[in-house]
């Protein structure tokens, strides 16, 4: 079944000119870009996006990192896109990420881990709607 997921290329990656290399891995892995935009998040937007983590010890650092520079948000579509995107990204911590994944190759640390991807059908729906209107998404 075709599925959509939200992908974010984070400030640590855009600042190091890694956008193209990351998109190449996503597309090369079989994900189709059906929407894309560049944004510079405000503190309020970043806080709203990551509201589920607001009580975590890493929350303040996460928000500071997310507003440090521009991000690229994309809607990616494929069969089982959520799981496929997470496989291509690799685990949250680059130390344990698998060879060839985005995070293994490009992430600096858990806090500066280059990409975000939706982790469930529910979060994909929420995160896509957070950044895109339906008429900004193409098949
Ligand atoms: P992301 O997939 O964007 O979701 C939440 C982010 O919080 C995560 O990637 C990491 O960048 C960051 N983070 C920092 N520390 C942790 C941690 N201990 N566990 C999970 N996420 C963390």
């Amino acid at each position: 079944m075709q599925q959509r997921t939200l992908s974010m290329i984070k400030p640590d990656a855009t600042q190091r000119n890694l956008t193209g290399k990351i998109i190449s891995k996503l597309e090369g892995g079989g994900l189709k870009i059906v929407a894309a935009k560049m944004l510079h998040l405000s503190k309020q937007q970043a806080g709203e996006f990551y509201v589920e983590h607001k009580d975590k010890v890493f929350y303040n650092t996460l928000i500071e990192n997310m507003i440090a520079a521009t991000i690229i948000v994309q809607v990616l579509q494929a069969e089982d896109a959520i799981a496929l995107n997470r496989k291509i990204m690799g685990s949250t911590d680059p130390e344990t990420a698998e060879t060839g994944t985005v995070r293994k190759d490009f992430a600096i640390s858990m806090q500066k881990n280059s990409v975000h991807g939706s982790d469930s059908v529910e979060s994909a729906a929420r995160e896509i709607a957070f950044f895109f209107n339906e008429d900004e998404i193409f098949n």
Side-chain angles (χ1 to χ4, degrees):
M1 189 194 66
Q2 288 288 307
Q3 193 177 57
R4 288 173 177 174
T5 189
L6 190 280
S7 162
M8 200 188 272
I9 302 177
K10 296 186 179 185
D12 76 86
T14 63
Q15 282 174 316
R16 289 178 292 142
N17 282 357
L18 292 170
T19 300
K21 286 186 172 144
I22 292 173
I23 290 177
S24 178
K25 275 191 191 286
L26 299 173
E27 287 191 321
L31 291 159
K32 182 179 181 193
I33 300 166
V34 294
K37 57 177 81 163
M38 177 181 275
L39 300 167
H40 194 147
L41 292 180
S42 67
K43 198 166 192 168
Q44 188 182 334
Q45 285 174 309
E48 208 178 308
F49 184 81
Y50 279 117
V51 66
E52 68 180 294
H53 295 305
K54 74 175 190 316
D55 298 323
K56 306 269 175 61
V57 288
F58 58 82
Y59 179 75
N60 287 340
T61 315
L62 171 63
I63 300 307
E64 289 308 316
N65 283 323
M66 290 307 301
I67 65 173
T70 55
I71 61 166
I72 307 288
V73 285
Q74 299 182 105
V75 180
L76 304 176
Q77 185 169 297
E79 185 102 350
D80 289 326
I82 296 169
L84 177 58
N85 183 40
R86 292 178 71 76
K87 185 161 182 257
I88 295 167
M89 288 193 301
S91 52
T92 308
D93 185 353
E95 291 282 325
T96 56
E98 301 71 18
T99 304
T101 60
V102 173
R103 284 167 171 160
K104 185 69 178 182
D105 287 358
F106 303 128
I108 296 167
S109 65
M110 189 112 101
Q111 294 287 3
K112 296 186 175 182
N113 64 354
S114 300
V115 280
H116 165 84
S118 310
D119 65 3
S120 65
V121 172
E122 294 72 28
S123 67
R126 181 186 84 87
E127 292 176 2
I128 290 169
F130 190 92
F131 289 113
F132 295 95
N133 296 320
E134 200 48 48
D135 66 2
E136 295 175 310
I137 305 173
F138 302 88
N139 275 305

